[in-house]
Amino acid sequence: MKIVRLTTLLDFGGQERKYISFTDDGPQALRHDYVFAAIGHGGHAEKAIRDKGFDVHIFQRNPAVRNLWNIVVLWRWFRHIRPDVVHTAAAEANFHGIIAARLAGVPTIIAEEIGFPRHSKSARRVFALLYRRVYKVVCVSESVKAFLQSIGEIRPEKGVVLYNPVVSPGVRPRVPSEVFTLVCVGRLEPVKNQALLIRALGKMQHTQVRLCLVGDGSDRAALEQLVQTLGLSERVTFTGFTADPTQYLRRGDVFVLPSLSEGFGIAVVEAMLQELPCVCSKVGGIPEFINDGENGWLFDPHDEAALVARLDDLAAMSGDALRRIGQNARLSVEDRFTTTHYRLSLENLYEKRL
């Protein structure tokens, strides 16, 4: 079968990392022929996937839903390459891709929701109509599936949960630090809520704690200004984007993710696989693999005082106690989100329509 995996962008982010993981062992590890495509721009993920021997198509168009000419462009492309399956992911790709694939007569269409869409009532009706015309809607967590059902966009039998694959490089040796270090990996965007973490750092009783923010995004300038305003410039490091966050995870004592919304949370699982204790927002799919107090901790991302108190507790905790939580974290996820399991599950889903 020829399968098109269409998304909005192929640069960096959770969706892109999933594609990179899926293609990690090259075309020979997969049972079908794949073409990866982005309506908008490419970048890091585009290069990584292309370098592994896959066909990648970048349309370089404005992916906005209102840009309806994207449907015509995709329709023409689908008619030309004649895929057996079109698997779309992310709101803009779902909208344009489903319509174009239907018009092009693609036999099997699968959509994917990677988070919690903030659709208006009219948009919910539109997506409900679109999702009734696809074979399945892949959801990255049970929480995402339940949310889509609650807003009326999918019926229970339409949604299928496939957790994201997470590649583990193995537990890398720790790099001891004289200063207790918090690490946060993620795009620097308002929804990731790093501003809360910076403010919490400034209110901690343990004033020697440092924070390493790994990632880049539109919120970086505002976050850097906040750090300067709070007088935390000596305690907060911005690393920018990296394809290998493990180099920073192994230098940290605790991983913190303060997101306001998180469909799955690949960065959290990556930290857990490195035996790093995790403190994360109790949102989205994260409570599906973190049990508070057993293999990590959960908090309300709107409760700054609670986060401050938790971080102070952890800064005072013994190294042995933190290590035990970190070991529990790794054991709880190491066999649950493997790339092999994801590949088999996804290809089996495609083949059910044969």
Side-chain angles (χ1 to χ4, degrees):
M1 284 194 300
K2 178 182 286 187
I3 298 166
V4 169
R5 297 200 63 179
L6 173 71
T7 190
T8 304
L9 308 173
L10 275 175
D11 196 357
F12 63 90
Q15 179 67 17
E16 289 89 337
R17 286 159 74 184
K18 174 162 57 180
Y19 283 12
I20 292 171
S21 298
F22 182 75
T23 58
D24 210 37
D25 294 324
Q28 68 277 1
L30 299 165
R31 301 197 294 258
H32 305 288
D33 296 326
Y34 288 84
V35 180
F36 293 84
I39 298 174
H41 66 262
H44 169 71
E46 172 200 1
K47 183 178 185 304
I49 296 168
R50 200 187 299 276
D51 287 349
K52 292 169 187 172
F54 290 90
D55 185 9
V56 182
H57 193 99
I58 305 298
F59 287 95
Q60 291 286 5
R61 296 186 55 79
N62 174 4
V65 167
R66 65 180 179 276
N67 190 7
L68 298 181
W69 192 251
N70 290 333
I71 296 171
V72 177
V73 172
L74 291 171
W75 169 74
R76 289 173 175 169
W77 186 59
F78 292 150
R79 294 272 292 178
H80 174 67
I81 67 171
R82 300 181 67 83
D84 301 289
V85 178
V86 168
H87 178 173
T88 65
E92 297 86 354
N94 285 341
F95 178 82
H96 298 299
I98 292 171
I99 297 173
R102 288 278 298 184
L103 292 173
V106 175
T108 300
I109 306 169
I110 295 172
E112 182 169 341
E113 273 292 356
I114 61 177
F116 302 90
R118 300 176 63 182
H119 292 156
S120 64
K121 288 183 179 180
S122 58
R124 290 178 181 181
R125 288 193 290 270
V126 169
F127 277 91
L129 183 65
L130 290 175
Y131 290 156
R132 283 201 293 271
R133 285 157 175 75
V134 304
Y135 169 49
K136 292 291 182 182
V137 177
V138 173
C139 305
V140 297
S141 65
E142 293 287 352
S143 182
V144 168
K145 180 181 176 182
F147 179 77
L148 293 179
Q149 290 176 217
S150 72
I151 63 175
E153 290 193 6
I154 66 170
R155 296 170 181 169
E157 68 276 8
K158 185 69 72 171
V160 56
V161 176
L162 288 182
Y163 289 111
N164 289 335
V166 183
V167 174
S168 172
V171 181
R172 294 184 179 176
R174 311 289 296 162
V175 179
S177 173
E178 295 182 358
V179 180
F180 193 85
T181 302
L182 308 174
V183 180
C184 177
V185 179
R187 293 176 292 112
L188 303 184
E189 303 290 344
V191 71
K192 296 297 183 180
N193 204 26
Q194 288 98 343
L196 172 75
L197 180 53
I198 292 170
R199 293 194 301 270
L201 177 73
K203 293 181 179 179
M204 290 179 63
Q205 294 179 4
H206 292 78
T207 57
Q208 298 305 308
V209 175
R210 291 182 182 174
L211 170 62
C212 179
L213 290 172
V214 183
D216 210 343
S218 66
D219 214 25
R220 178 164 180 168
L223 294 173
E224 288 176 331
Q225 181 59 54
L226 178 62
V227 167
Q228 186 175 10
T229 299
L230 297 178
L232 299 173
S233 298
E234 299 298 318
R235 297 172 58 191
V236 179
T237 300
F238 291 84
T239 71
F241 170 74
T242 176
D244 181 22
T246 309
Q247 60 181 305
Y248 298 105
L249 296 175
R250 62 199 289 258
R251 289 173 167 82
D253 295 284
V254 170
F255 176 89
V256 187
L257 190 73
S259 296
L260 296 170
S261 177
E262 200 73 45
F264 174 68
I266 289 178
V268 183
V269 177
E270 288 178 337
M272 295 172 77
L273 287 168
Q274 291 301 312
E275 298 189 347
L276 196 60
C278 296
V279 181
C280 301
S281 302
K282 190 177 181 179
V283 298
I286 294 175
E288 294 173 33
F289 53 85
I290 286 187
N291 297 318
D292 190 52
E294 296 179 14
N295 63 348
W297 296 271
L298 299 169
F299 71 95
D300 180 348
H302 301 283
D303 191 342
E304 184 177 307
L307 177 59
V308 173
R310 173 62 67 193
L311 295 179
D312 270 322
D313 287 345
L314 296 180
M317 188 177 289
S318 71
D320 287 342
L322 286 173
R323 278 190 291 274
R324 282 195 296 272
I325 292 292
Q327 290 166 358
N328 290 343
R330 177 180 59 81
L331 291 172
S332 67
V333 298
E334 62 180 351
D335 295 324
R336 191 175 176 189
F337 306 115
T338 66
T339 302
T340 299
H341 177 73
Y342 176 77
R343 286 174 184 155
L344 288 173
S345 299
L346 190 55
E347 293 204 307
N348 288 342
L349 178 65
Y350 296 150
E351 291 166 7
K352 285 181 181 179
R353 291 287 280 181
L354 289 177

